[in-house]
C-alpha cells in the first residue's frame, strides 16, 4: 500500500508470519514456565513441604522469564516460513501441537526442580526425606531459574533443532546472560540472599543445579526429533 508495488506483499506476508511465530514462541515459553511453577508448588503442597516462597516465584516471573520472553519476539524468520501452507483462519493459538509442547515441557522442568530440591535436602542433612529444607529451596530456585533460561533457547523453533538454525538471536543471548547474572547475584550477595531466605550455595550445589537445568535442552531436542520423524512418516 505504501509503495504501490505488488512484490511488497510477499515481504509483508513473511513479516506477518514471523511476528505470529514469535508471539507463539513467547506464549509457549511463558505458559510452559508457569506450568512448571504451578505443578511444582502443587506437588510440594500435596507432599507437605514448601518448595518455593511467593517472593521466589515473583522473581522468576519478573526477571528470569520476562527478558527471554521479550527477546523471543526479536527472533528472525525461519528459512521455510514462506514454504508453509497458509494457516486456517479458525486455527487457535495452540494449533500445531503447541498445547502438547507446553504440557510436556512444563512437566520436564517440574521433574528437574523437584529432583534438585531433594538433592539439596540430602546435601544439607545426609538423608532423603520429604520435609522443609532451606538448602532444598535454594537448589530448587536455582534449578528452576536456570532451566527456564536454557529453555528459552529451545523456543527459537517449535520443531527444528536450535543447533541447525542459521542465525543467532543476539538479544536472546543477552537476555539469557542478564537473567543468569541477576539470578546468581540474588543467591550470592548476602543482603539479597538473606532477604530471600537463601542459604550459601557451594560449587558442588551450583554444578548439580546447572547440570539438571541444562538437561532441558537435550530432552526437548530429542522430543523434537521424534516429532519431526513422525511428521515425515505422515507426509
Amino acid at each position: 500500500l505504501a509503495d504501490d508495488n505488488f512484490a511488497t506483499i510477499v515481504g509483508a506476508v513473511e513479516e506477518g508470519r514471523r511476528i505470529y511465530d514469535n508471539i507463539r514462541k513467547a506464549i509457549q515459553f511463558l505458559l510452559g514456565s508457569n506450568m512448571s511453577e504451578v505443578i511444582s508448588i502443587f506437588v510440594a503442597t500435596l507432599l507437605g513441604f514448601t518448595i518455593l516462597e511467593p517472593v521466589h516465584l515473583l522473581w522468576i516471573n519478573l526477571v528470569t522469564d520476562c527478558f527471554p520472553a521479550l527477546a523471543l519476539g526479536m527472533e528472525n524468520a525461519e528459512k521455510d516460513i514462506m514454504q508453509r501452507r497458509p494457516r486456517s483462519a479458525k486455527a487457535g493459538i495452540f494449533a500445531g501441537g503447541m498445547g502438547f509442547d507446553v504440557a510436556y515441557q512444563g512437566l520436564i522442568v517440574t521433574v528437574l526442580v523437584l529432583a534438585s530440591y531433594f538433592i539439596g535436602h540430602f546435601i544439607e542433612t545426609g538423608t532423603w526425606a520429604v520435609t522443609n529444607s532451606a538448602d532444598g529451596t535454594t537448589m530448587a530456585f536455582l534449578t528452576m531459574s536456570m532451566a527456564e533460561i536454557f529453555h528459552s533457547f529451545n523456543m527459537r523453533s517449535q520443531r527444528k533443532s536450535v543447533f541447525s538454525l542459521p542465525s543467532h538471536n543476539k538479544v536472546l543471548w543477552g537476555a539469557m546472560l542478564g537473567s543468569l547474572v541477576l539470578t546468581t547475584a540474588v543467591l550470592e550477595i548476602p543482603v539479597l540472599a538473606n532477604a530471600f531466605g537463601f542459604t550459601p550455595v557451594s560449587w558442588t550445589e551450583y554444578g548439580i543445579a546447572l547440570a539438571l537445568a541444562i538437561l532441558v535442552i537435550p530432552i526437548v531436542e530429542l522430543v523434537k526429533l521424534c516429532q519431526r520423524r513422525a511428521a515425515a512418516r505422515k507426509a
Side-chain angles (χ1 to χ4, degrees):
L1 295 176
D3 60 9
D4 198 28
N5 184 352
F6 282 108
T8 307
I9 295 175
V10 177
V13 171
E14 181 178 2
E15 182 65 10
R17 291 186 175 188
R18 183 187 74 85
I19 292 171
Y20 185 75
D21 266 8
N22 290 350
I23 290 172
R24 280 169 54 92
K25 291 170 185 176
I27 291 174
Q28 182 179 340
F29 169 67
L30 289 173
L31 288 180
S33 299
N34 280 277
M35 177 174 285
S36 67
E37 296 165 21
V38 170
I39 298 176
S40 296
I41 297 296
F42 180 71
V43 171
T45 301
L46 288 180
L47 295 177
F49 67 93
T50 301
I51 189 168
L52 292 170
E53 299 289 348
V55 67
H56 303 155
L57 297 174
L58 184 62
W59 176 274
I60 291 171
N61 283 316
L62 293 181
V63 177
T64 306
D65 293 348
C66 179
F67 298 123
L70 292 173
L72 286 169
M74 307 293 290
E75 191 66 42
N76 293 328
E78 296 182 29
K79 288 180 65 176
D80 66 342
I81 197 168
M82 293 302 288
Q83 279 70 56
R84 302 175 190 170
R85 294 181 179 181
R87 64 181 178 86
S88 171
K90 297 180 180 179
I93 194 70
F94 293 102
M98 183 172 146
F100 170 77
D101 293 340
V102 169
Y104 90 80
Q105 290 162 9
L107 287 171
I108 288 171
V109 177
T110 299
V111 171
L112 296 174
V113 169
L114 288 170
S116 183
Y117 178 90
F118 290 116
I119 291 172
H121 176 66
F122 178 80
I123 292 174
E124 179 185 9
T125 64
T127 60
W128 298 101
V130 180
T131 184
N132 288 330
S133 166
D135 271 25
T137 295
T138 303
M139 286 278 287
F141 173 84
L142 182 56
T143 299
M144 179 170 284
S145 296
M146 292 195 296
E148 294 183 4
I149 290 170
F150 291 132
H151 185 46
S152 66
F153 185 68
N154 287 325
M155 292 297 95
R156 294 191 62 207
S157 177
Q158 185 182 8
R159 289 290 178 265
K160 292 184 177 63
S161 169
V162 293
F163 300 105
S164 68
L165 299 180
S167 61
H168 293 281
N169 186 338
K170 294 181 181 179
V171 179
L172 180 59
W173 280 109
M176 291 169 64
L177 181 60
S179 296
L180 185 60
V181 168
L182 289 172
T183 298
T184 304
V186 80
L187 288 165
E188 296 299 332
I189 297 175
V191 175
L192 294 176
N194 290 334
F196 280 77
F198 293 136
T199 58
V201 180
S202 67
W203 284 109
T204 300
E205 291 173 323
Y206 200 94
I208 292 172
L210 180 63
L212 287 170
I214 207 168
L215 283 175
V216 74
I217 293 179
I219 293 173
V220 171
E221 283 287 307
L222 179 60
V223 176
K224 283 184 182 180
L225 176 61
C226 295
Q227 290 173 325
R228 290 195 300 273
R229 289 183 175 178
R233 284 195 295 269
K234 289 181 181 179

